[in-house]
Amino acid sequence: SNGAFVRGASNDGKRIVFESPNDFTGENKDGNNEIFVYDTDLRKIIQVTKTGTQSSTGGTTGQTLSGRNCPGGCPPGQATALNAVPAISGDGTRIVFASTSAQLTDVSNADGNAEIYLATLPRGATAATIQRITETDGIKDSFDNNTPTINFDGSVIAFVSTRSLFKLRGV
């Protein structure tokens, strides 16, 4: 499909992770860039992220939640979340990616910086649980936290960051 960027595959080749603004599952009607996994055992595309446009908090200070995991896409607003550069663990159960969204977890992202997230998607599952890995504050930069990678079992995550300070998240 136009605009789908394959970013990796599990070691057995049964799960492929990609990003796209396309509506493969009926849950991306707003055309936001989302993270997807194709599972060959299930013969199904799974939409990992479900973010949409977010309304501004006023001024240039960032974003607030306008809807959390909106089925069919979130209502229009002033800012579009970016979910990008996913990588999948060798065992195919964990996906790391960068996102500017405030809709993936209950932790706000008021400055709109790109943060690193970990999605856990057990074999046979069709929905992921998402955990935010980084929490950086400051002026929005073009890269912030980006290009994550993950090892075979998901126990090590590495990424590039323009930030010098990270809040302790217990991860």
Side-chain angles (χ1 to χ4, degrees):
S1 290
N2 187 25
F5 298 98
V6 174
R7 299 295 186 176
S10 59
N11 285 1
D12 63 5
K14 291 188 173 195
R15 279 194 165 170
I16 300 164
V17 67
F18 61 99
E19 63 183 270
S20 178
N22 294 322
D23 188 12
F24 297 109
T25 63
E27 296 181 292
N28 194 26
K29 293 185 184 0
D30 59 8
N32 192 35
N33 205 57
E34 302 288 359
I35 307 299
F36 298 89
V37 169
Y38 177 70
D39 188 310
T40 62
D41 288 335
L42 297 176
R43 295 181 181 205
K44 182 177 180 116
I45 294 175
I46 300 163
Q47 187 170 330
V48 175
T49 59
K50 296 178 177 90
T51 59
T53 50
Q54 300 167 60
S55 60
S56 174
T57 59
T60 59
T61 59
Q63 304 163 330
T64 58
L65 226 51
S66 64
R68 190 165 186 270
N69 294 328
C70 312
C74 294
Q78 298 177 358
T80 300
L82 175 65
N83 304 292
V85 295
I88 192 165
S89 62
D91 66 5
T93 62
R94 291 176 180 83
I95 299 103
V96 292
F97 59 95
S99 179
T100 60
S101 180
Q103 298 174 336
L104 295 169
T105 67
D106 291 334
V107 178
S108 71
N109 188 14
D111 58 16
N113 283 342
E115 302 289 355
I116 302 298
Y117 291 84
L118 172 66
T120 303
L121 184 64
R123 294 292 178 136
T126 59
T129 57
I130 299 175
Q131 177 183 12
R132 186 165 157 183
I133 301 298
T134 61
E135 187 171 348
T136 54
D137 291 331
I139 298 170
K140 184 169 174 45
D141 196 358
S142 59
F143 290 103
D144 304 315
N145 305 295
N146 210 333
T147 60
T149 190
I150 191 166
N151 70 337
F152 178 81
D153 66 358
S155 62
V156 177
I157 297 169
F159 59 94
V160 174
S161 181
T162 61
R163 301 295 170 207
S164 60
L165 298 173
F166 292 87
K167 292 183 179 177
L168 182 60
R169 298 221 23 93
V171 182

